[in-house]
Each structure stands twice: as C-alpha cells, then as structure tokens.
Amino acid sequence: MSQRILVIEDEPGIRLALKDELEFESFDVELAADGPTGLASILRSPPALIILDLMLPGQNGFQVCQEVRARGIRAPIIVLTARTQEADKVRGLGLGADDYVTKPFSLAELVARIHAVLRRTAKDDEDRDLLEAPPIKLDLRRHCASKGDIELHLTATEFRILTLLLKRRGEVITRDDFLAHVWGEHVSVTHRTVDTHVAALRKKIEDDLDHPTYILSVRNVGYRFNENIAGS
Ligand code: CA
C-alpha cells in the first residue's frame, strides 16, 4: 500500500508540481491550500508525512505544526520555507518539525529528504516497540517475549507485567501501580493477585526461583526489574 503524503501549500503552482512528483514516486498525495483544511485532514486521519508551507493564509505553518504535536500526532513534518526565513527555520524545528527545505527547492532534493525522514521514523517506531534487558527481550508489536534464543510463552497478563517492569527498569513498581497499569478498571483484583502473576512470570524467566535475579521483591512495596543483570 502506498504511503499518503499531505501537502499544505497555498501556491497552486508548487502544490501541483509536488503532487505530480510525489505521485510519480508512488505516494498517495493529498493537497490542502490552507492551514485549517490541512489540519482537519490530519486530525481525520494522520498521513505518513506532512509537507507544510510556513506562510499560509488563515493559520500559518507554525500554528499547524504546534497543533499537530499538541494533539500527540507523531506524523513527520517537512517544513517549506522561503530562503530569507532563517529564524523561521529554527522555530520550525523547535516546534517539532523533522526537517525543512528552503524555497526555491529542487524536487529531487525534497524527495530525497522525504525518503530519509520516512526511513528515520520507521526505525524510531521499531525501536520504540522493542524492550530489552538482555537476555530478556520483548517485542511489543508482535507481542512476543524471549530470553536469549528461547521464546517465552507468557500469558497476556504476564506480558503486560513484564512490559511495565522493563519500561520502568530499575524503578520500584508498587502493587497499586501494577493494578492500575495491568488490570486497569478490574476492581476485583487484589495485591495477592499481583503476587500470584509475578510468581508465575518468575517461573518462566528466573534461573533460580529461590534467588530471583530478574524480578526483585521490594519488601512491603512491590517489585523492581534488576537494572544490573549480568550480561546486559
Ligand atoms: Ca506560502
């Protein structure tokens, strides 16, 4: 499936040139001539990438950029800016844009930047979906866990417990934290249930159950994932 790129640009000539070029590059292209239209499209369905002109009628590129990030949308943004707007470039990047191109720009350069930014964000997403405390590894996207070369067969609850422990590795996680993050709204679950599931998880990952080295107990409080595992 081709990736969708949203172009927010008020100059029709540039807009159409970009559409032609990006379609030639096999992207799906959506055009918006002003900020509010572009923003509405992003909020409806975030594209793979946004090309954003800074000087726009209605709502300028800065405001669009700010709004997109404020809403927690991570879609990469490449800002188009006039050559004289050096200060704007900096501000554009400060607002969470991923790259910028100064006008007049060559289409080839812009396309190269687009590919580079898309590659970078794909890599970041992958990294974000991987939690590692060697030899323990969790792949959040594929929902699988391993210890060295051995796949761990975890229940959904054990997986969520281990995810929380690894995300906050080295920190003490209270039983209430586990209840809130792992079980959410289920009120019937007690501290004892947390202990039961942690015990089951330990059976699957610890080398010696009498002396756990991965999931450490913190007396009267909760658990902590060891930040100093040998081999990590
Ligand atoms: Ca403009």
Side-chain angles (χ1 to χ4, degrees):
M1 213 178 73
S2 39
Q3 291 178 296
R4 185 165 55 94
I5 294 186
L6 172 66
V7 176
I8 310 178
E9 163 66 76
D10 58 320
E11 288 165 60
I14 298 182
R15 214 159 55 222
L16 293 176
L18 285 176
K19 182 175 165 67
D20 277 354
E21 182 70 18
L22 295 176
E23 282 180 349
F24 180 75
E25 292 286 324
S26 304
F27 291 109
D28 275 343
V29 183
E30 193 183 333
L31 302 176
D34 58 61
T37 310
L39 194 58
S41 160
I42 295 165
L43 297 179
R44 214 164 38 237
S45 156
L49 184 138
I50 301 159
I51 295 179
L52 177 63
D53 183 31
L54 277 187
M55 295 300 119
L56 290 167
Q59 192 177 27
N60 68 35
F62 296 117
Q63 293 165 317
V64 173
C65 203
Q66 211 160 28
E67 182 78 21
V68 167
R69 293 300 183 239
R71 304 261 186 153
I73 294 167
R74 296 207 314 254
I77 298 175
I78 297 181
V79 162
L80 300 180
T81 155
R83 193 172 283 287
T84 51
Q85 298 164 320
E86 290 298 321
D88 288 356
K89 277 186 217 167
V90 179
R91 285 175 60 204
L93 291 172
L95 281 173
D98 296 81
D99 203 352
Y100 62 86
V101 173
T102 47
K103 292 176 177 179
F105 55 88
S106 83
L107 288 172
E109 185 198 350
L110 179 62
V111 166
R113 299 282 184 101
I114 288 171
H115 285 297
V117 166
L118 285 175
R119 262 197 310 275
R120 209 161 65 213
T121 34
K123 176 81 174 62
D124 287 351
D125 283 350
E126 242 169 61
D127 291 348
R128 229 191 311 274
D129 290 342
L130 218 57
L131 284 175
E132 271 186 283
I136 307 283
K137 202 157 136 182
L138 284 189
D139 184 330
L140 302 182
R141 184 180 308 190
R142 289 168 43 229
H143 217 271
C144 56
S146 55
K147 180 181 175 186
D149 297 331
I150 299 162
E151 194 187 333
L152 299 170
H153 299 283
L154 305 184
T155 64
T157 302
E158 290 160 4
F159 192 91
R160 286 203 294 276
I161 289 174
L162 191 52
T163 301
L164 182 61
L165 282 164
L166 285 184
K167 275 192 176 159
R168 291 164 54 178
R169 192 173 172 191
E171 264 178 64
V172 179
I173 302 172
T174 67
R175 291 183 174 80
D176 283 334
D177 284 341
F178 281 111
L179 291 181
H181 287 89
V182 176
W183 282 271
E185 301 299 307
H186 298 282
V187 283
S188 60
V189 178
T190 65
H191 284 182
R192 183 82 196 97
T193 313
V194 176
D195 294 335
T196 308
H197 285 273
V198 169
L201 179 58
R202 274 177 165 162
K203 275 189 193 154
K204 296 177 182 178
I205 69 171
E206 295 291 348
D207 302 318
D208 177 357
L209 275 176
D210 293 331
H211 304 95
T213 50
Y214 293 94
I215 301 174
L216 308 177
S217 298
V218 182
R219 208 178 151 78
N220 296 329
V221 182
Y223 299 94
R224 160 169 80 83
F225 199 92
N226 191 353
E227 68 274 42
N228 303 310
I229 296 164
S232 70

